[in-house]
Amino acid sequence: MESKKKERVLVFDTTLRDGEQSPGASMNPEEKLRVARQLERLGVDIIEAGFPIASEGDFLSVRQIAREVRGPQIAGLARANLNDIDRAWEAIKEAAHPRIHTFISTSDIHLKYQLKKTRDQVLKDACAAVAHACAYTSNVEFSPMDATRSDWDYLCDVIEAVIAVGATTVNIPDTVGYIMPEEFGKLIAYLFKKVKNIKKAIVSVHCHNDLGLAVANSLAAVKNGARQVECTINGIGERAGNAAMEEVVMSLATRKDFFGFSTGIKTEYIYQSSRLLTHITGIPVQPNKAIVGANAFAHESGIHQDGLIKEKITYEIMTPQSVGISGTHLVLGKHSGRHAISERLKRMGFKLSADEMKRVFVRFKEIADVKKEIFDEDLEAIMYEEVYRVEEKYKLVYLNVVCGNVAIPTATMEMEVDGKIVRDAGFGVGPVDATVAAIRKITKTDYHLQKYAVNAITGGTDAQGEVTVQLQFNSRSVVGRGADPDVIVASAKAYINALNRLEFLKRDVKKVKVVE
Ligand code: KIV
Ligand code: ZN
């Protein structure tokens, strides 16, 4: 049993905490819960659900996840002070397996310019924080922030001291994505050599991707003794992001011969998790992204295709199926019945209630009436519109647009605002501009539009247009999405979706940054 445990690398997912710090990635509580449930299905060991002191919204959503997601450990982040730790514990205490994760910087750069504290003071604060957290739970993680730019011997002292007062996981963050894989491997090996009580804790790593090395650094650390990797779905996170979970996990799985470790991740849920996050945050995955990018399994060159036809192993190191990308592309159409659609959705990983299925089926029929072939991507878009909708203050009822090369683009619109019908019209330089003008008049809003993008969900001129809109609210932003065979309607839906999501953000304005 003991040796089996040693072969396992724990996956600590921080999509909901560090990932949510990506510009534009803010999620509302309902969406965070959905992501947490997906992470549970995926098999992560620890979910870092948020930073409870950061805002009331963060606190409530960490508490909700702690109450409702019972499989994995649920971690709450806290700076190394008593208030933060009390608040983190308050949020996670009802979890089946709570964990407090507390941190303080240890690099001289941070000590001098940010904390304005001496090494001794930081060591004392770290120990006091860990001891305080241990009074609540025996599951305490400590992170010396900016560890990779800290003095190695001082780092050893801090780690030894926090383990002595009860930390059960010590996490080594490469906060600014600075270290090189070989160097990081050496640092981890150094800790194992110098820190006398290191075996009493699990060594974890947390790598940022500023030089594109987050995954390589995490793997180098595993090779040298780390047994927990902190990562995010699609590698989202501050600046260039965090280590991408799918890349770490598939590296360990595909090169088990080299690493000799496994994880608890059910890899067949990887693609679905990636898609879910993209839908929620509106942050697209680059086509050439490893594992989950659109081209990750597409072989273009003739020589490669020839090899693959003869024997897959020639150019394929893992199968698309192993990460949940189905090889089949059966097309549905207007004659497809409810059973066929329900079966397809099930295969795509969606479980629907009878009422949800009813809504999806009605929308499916509407789309199938104007679009000959319905692909998985269309079904996915229907799911996100019909089932995973946020609470709606604003609803689109009716939209009529006049445009063309001899008309002044005009949008006449009817919306429901807090249950009341409101009508108005807008003009613009084009039909989308006119539609947005009408929405702004009806909703009496004028948030700055940071981004507007249209994408065809599938091929063909009858494809559904998928629109992403990003609106700014103070220093934060929200993303809205909408899909429809008519791109103007899709634009209206996306804009209204962003306004509805912004309502959540407005209720949760106080937000403390992790570095404060
Ligand atoms: O990057 C970092 O140092 C962090 C810590 C809070 C672990 O996110
Ligand atoms: Zn981080």
Side-chain angles (χ1 to χ4, degrees):
M1 184 66 196
E2 188 54 25
S3 74
K4 269 236 156 56
K5 228 172 159 188
K6 281 195 183 135
E7 285 167 16
R8 174 91 177 260
V9 171
L10 299 173
V11 174
F12 176 115
D13 182 276
T14 183
T15 304
L16 294 172
R17 200 278 297 168
D18 224 342
E20 215 224 356
Q21 287 171 222
S22 311
S26 57
M27 297 174 232
N28 64 48
E30 207 183 297
E31 292 165 337
K32 286 185 185 172
L33 183 61
R34 201 179 314 140
V35 170
R37 291 212 166 104
Q38 180 68 22
L39 292 171
E40 181 178 37
R41 195 170 307 141
L42 188 60
V44 310
D45 299 283
I46 303 112
I47 295 175
E48 186 162 55
F51 184 25
I53 196 96
S55 73
E56 184 65 15
D58 272 43
F59 173 84
L60 294 174
S61 105
V62 175
R63 193 177 64 181
Q64 187 181 26
I65 291 169
R67 284 176 177 167
E68 297 188 30
V69 181
R70 311 299 290 173
Q73 297 179 40
I74 305 295
L77 185 69
R79 290 167 296 191
N81 69 61
L82 308 190
N83 268 349
D84 273 38
I85 291 168
D86 292 343
R87 193 79 176 140
W89 176 247
E90 211 35 52
I92 59 164
K93 68 180 181 197
E94 291 173 53
H97 315 284
R99 173 183 292 200
I100 297 175
H101 177 193
T102 184
F103 71 97
I104 189 166
S105 293
T106 50
S107 68
D108 287 335
I109 301 172
H110 282 205
L111 265 58
K112 178 169 175 199
Y113 297 107
Q114 199 179 10
L115 299 182
K116 302 194 188 338
K117 286 186 176 176
T118 63
R119 286 185 180 186
D120 273 355
Q121 279 173 306
V122 164
L123 192 139
K124 275 192 196 115
D125 287 355
C127 289
V130 170
H132 188 63
C134 287
Y136 289 125
T137 170
S138 57
N139 188 358
V140 175
E141 170 169 336
F142 173 77
S143 291
M145 187 145 132
D146 206 18
T148 53
R149 293 191 301 167
S150 303
D151 175 79
W152 285 20
D153 289 321
Y154 174 60
L155 187 62
C156 288
D157 291 345
V158 174
I159 288 172
E160 193 166 313
V162 295
I163 295 174
V165 293
T168 43
T169 301
V170 283
N171 177 45
I172 311 302
D174 183 25
T175 303
V176 291
Y178 173 76
I179 206 157
M180 294 290 125
E182 196 184 329
E183 202 184 3
F184 199 37
K186 281 189 183 146
L187 172 57
I188 301 299
Y190 192 77
L191 297 178
F192 274 97
K193 199 163 142 212
K194 297 280 174 176
V195 176
K196 285 194 211 81
N197 52 5
I198 195 85
K199 294 230 164 88
K200 289 194 175 155
I202 288 179
V203 174
S204 165
V205 287
H206 173 113
C207 298
H208 279 269
N209 207 29
D210 299 66
L211 292 171
L213 293 169
V215 171
N217 282 333
S218 305
L219 294 172
V222 167
K223 226 16 198 170
N224 285 278
R227 292 294 175 264
Q228 175 180 292
V229 175
E230 302 200 352
C231 44
T232 59
I233 303 284
N234 296 344
I236 68 164
E238 282 267 3
R239 309 180 307 279
N242 290 56
M245 177 206 286
E246 59 279 3
E247 296 178 24
V248 172
V249 166
M250 290 314 288
S251 294
L252 293 174
T254 309
R255 296 305 311 274
K256 188 145 197 263
D257 60 319
F258 180 74
F259 290 102
F261 300 112
S262 48
T263 67
I265 297 297
K266 298 185 193 83
T267 61
E268 64 278 15
Y269 287 115
I270 284 180
Y271 185 62
Q272 190 187 85
S273 309
S274 160
R275 297 286 301 162
L276 174 71
L277 191 69
T278 300
H279 269 275
I280 288 180
T281 60
I283 300 176
V285 167
Q286 78 207 49
N288 58 324
K289 162 87 175 61
I291 319 293
V292 290
N295 297 342
F297 294 92
H299 298 267
E300 192 73 20
S301 120
I303 297 176
H304 288 206
Q305 289 176 352
D306 173 62
L308 280 166
I309 291 166
K310 289 176 177 148
E311 171 53 62
K312 283 219 183 316
I313 203 172
T314 49
Y315 291 96
E316 200 172 76
I317 59 165
M318 60 195 151
T319 65
Q321 289 79 8
S322 67
V323 297
I325 300 174
S326 85
T328 53
H329 278 286
L330 290 175
V331 181
L332 298 163
K334 72 173 176 189
H335 300 298
S336 306
R338 189 188 291 252
H339 183 69
I341 293 154
S342 148
E343 278 306 302
R344 175 66 63 85
L345 285 167
K346 235 187 253 164
R347 241 188 305 134
M348 289 164 69
F350 296 112
K351 277 199 205 116
L352 275 74
S353 67
D355 178 58
E356 288 168 344
M357 188 59 219
K358 205 164 140 194
R359 292 201 318 263
V360 166
F361 193 61
V362 169
R363 185 67 186 141
F364 171 84
K365 285 288 177 191
E366 281 169 10
I367 293 181
D369 264 346
V370 291
K371 188 176 185 295
K372 234 171 62 209
E373 297 177 319
I374 307 284
F375 297 90
D376 286 359
E377 291 84 345
D378 293 308
L379 278 185
E380 212 179 32
I382 296 175
M383 279 295 305
Y384 289 107
E385 292 233 318
E386 296 302 320
V387 180
Y388 296 150
R389 236 192 316 217
V390 294
E391 193 185 297
E392 290 178 312
K393 176 180 171 76
Y394 306 108
K395 282 186 190 160
L396 172 66
V397 181
Y398 160 96
L399 171 65
N400 181 52
V401 175
V402 179
C403 64
N405 66 346
V406 288
I408 296 174
T410 311
T412 317
M413 228 172 159
E414 190 171 287
M415 283 178 66
E416 221 180 277
V417 180
D418 287 323
K420 287 201 191 88
I421 293 292
V422 188
R423 275 183 216 107
D424 216 322
F427 304 105
V429 296
V432 174
D433 198 36
T435 302
V436 168
I439 297 174
R440 283 181 166 163
K441 272 195 196 168
I442 291 173
T443 58
K444 300 189 176 57
T445 58
D446 67 343
Y447 299 107
H448 173 60
L449 179 68
Q450 288 180 309
K451 183 175 134 189
Y452 169 83
V454 192
N455 181 31
I457 292 185
T458 53
T461 50
D462 68 347
Q464 286 201 79
E466 185 178 44
V467 175
T468 306
V469 159
Q470 189 170 332
L471 297 180
Q472 188 178 344
F473 171 63
N474 296 334
S475 59
R476 299 174 67 191
S477 56
V478 285
V479 172
R481 292 164 83 91
D484 197 276
D486 180 326
V487 288
I488 313 301
V489 175
S491 304
K493 285 182 177 176
Y495 199 96
I496 293 169
N497 179 243
L499 287 178
N500 283 323
R501 299 191 65 219
L502 215 139
E503 286 304 302
F504 278 100
L505 204 64
K506 280 180 17 198
R507 289 182 225 148
D508 190 28
V509 281
K510 179 186 159 236
K511 193 92 179 160
V512 178
K513 270 225 137 195
V514 166
V515 290
E516 281 172 346

